[in-house]
Amino acid sequence: MRWVRFEQDGEICWGHLEEGTITVHSGAPWAACRHATPERLPLESVPLLAPCQPGKIICVGRNYAAHARELGHAVPGAAPGEAPLLFMKPPSAILAPGAAIVLPPVSRQVEHEGELAVIIGKRCRRLGAEEPVAPYVLGYTCLNDVTARDLQQTDKQWTRAKGFDTFCPLGPWIETSPQPGPRPWDGLQVETRVNGELRQSGNTRDFIFSLERVLQEITAVMTLEPGDVIATGTPAGVGKLAPGDRVEVTIQGIGTLANTVTAADAP
Ligand code: MG
């Protein structure tokens, strides 16, 4: 099942997408009183927004061994006691599918990081070790963890490098089950293309830390609320973006998130 979020007559709406037709719902997918309305819309008739506006975006750094190596870092272990590297992006960085990533003048090296994003559907805190995450996950979508690599390397904290407006493209929709089975996030191909050229290719089966482990570690620290987003880390092949580029993140069973790139001073 696919959920889309869009604007219509100045209002933010949610809908269920099936074969190019949106069935408009009365509220967010996690709203207790939500119901399907009789209204139907063709997908092409409305510009899509990011499929949720999270209260927080929590990201995993270095969750694929090959990416840790390409940046010259030690590969973290998944042994008990070694926790994933976590950081946050601000909700103000969220960008709709199709919209432009704006390159800030203070950075000379803004890079793409295509990632699988997890959308929380139910409040959760202090999940147990290897506790099934399905009851708490609404679904999955594509995310581009856009990063000012030069600032990431000079700043001790990554708030600037990861936090510029437009640095978190998300979408195009939330897919509740990218593949059948008890772990619908496992075994998905994650690819990033720039101007049609394949730059990043990985598979979520190569996660160093499983989604169960990631949610256990995050919820040991903070309560996750419906609509919160988890970015699960990027595979190898990150690279620089330039004005005029078109960057696409494609995930098996979900679809493609496409965005353009523009300079800050472009008209
Ligand atoms: Mg990342």
Side-chain angles (χ1 to χ4, degrees):
M1 182 174 183
R2 285 180 176 172
W3 287 101
V4 290
R5 184 168 161 270
F6 56 95
E7 192 169 331
Q8 190 186 28
D9 302 329
E11 270 189 54
I12 291 174
C13 304
W14 291 85
H16 162 211
L17 175 66
E18 197 169 16
E19 292 177 2
T21 298
I22 298 169
T23 299
V24 181
H25 280 242
S26 62
W30 49 79
C33 55
R34 170 189 54 79
H35 57 86
T37 74
E39 190 176 3
R40 304 281 185 275
L41 296 168
L43 176 61
E44 319 80 67
S45 70
V46 288
L48 293 183
L49 300 172
C52 63
Q53 180 55 53
K56 52 191 175 293
I57 306 160
I58 305 105
C59 310
V60 184
R62 303 169 204 159
N63 204 19
Y64 294 79
H67 171 62
R69 285 192 206 101
E70 77 176 346
L71 293 185
H73 299 293
V75 176
E82 185 157 8
L85 173 65
L86 301 176
F87 63 93
M88 295 178 81
K89 289 170 91 80
S92 48
I94 289 285
L95 186 69
I101 298 163
V102 180
L103 303 178
V106 294
S107 173
R108 290 171 172 271
Q109 193 183 353
V110 173
E111 298 192 346
H112 54 80
E113 293 190 2
E115 308 194 6
L116 174 72
V118 178
I119 314 297
I120 298 297
K122 183 181 173 188
R123 174 181 283 191
C124 56
R125 64 191 294 262
R126 294 185 188 166
L127 292 187
E130 297 305 309
E131 183 175 343
V133 299
Y136 305 101
V137 173
L138 171 67
Y140 304 84
T141 192
C142 312
L143 183 149
N144 194 340
D145 175 18
V146 180
T147 303
R149 194 72 67 203
D150 47 354
L151 302 185
Q152 185 186 30
Q153 285 160 355
T154 54
D155 290 1
K156 284 187 178 165
Q157 300 278 340
W158 297 354
T159 305
R160 283 205 305 165
K162 300 280 191 178
F164 287 96
D165 289 354
T166 75
F167 270 27
C168 194
L170 187 73
W173 40 65
I174 299 168
E175 168 60 61
T176 56
S177 48
Q179 63 179 2
R183 298 172 109 201
W185 57 269
D186 197 2
L188 303 178
Q189 196 68 19
V190 179
E191 296 179 341
T192 308
R193 287 175 175 79
V194 178
N195 303 324
E197 182 184 320
L198 184 65
R199 295 281 183 88
Q200 292 187 269
S201 182
N203 192 291
T204 57
R205 78 167 74 88
D206 295 325
F207 278 178
I208 295 168
F209 297 98
S210 69
L211 184 57
E212 288 84 1
R213 180 75 194 283
V214 166
L215 287 188
Q216 181 201 349
E217 294 287 349
I218 294 171
T219 62
V221 179
M222 64 187 88
T223 302
L224 293 177
E225 303 284 354
D228 283 349
V229 171
I230 315 299
T232 56
T234 201
V238 297
K240 193 173 170 181
L241 294 169
D245 281 348
R246 174 183 167 87
V247 56
E248 295 172 303
V249 179
T250 301
I251 301 181
Q252 184 184 355
I254 299 175
T256 295
L257 167 67
N259 294 90
T260 54
V261 179
T262 186
D265 57 354

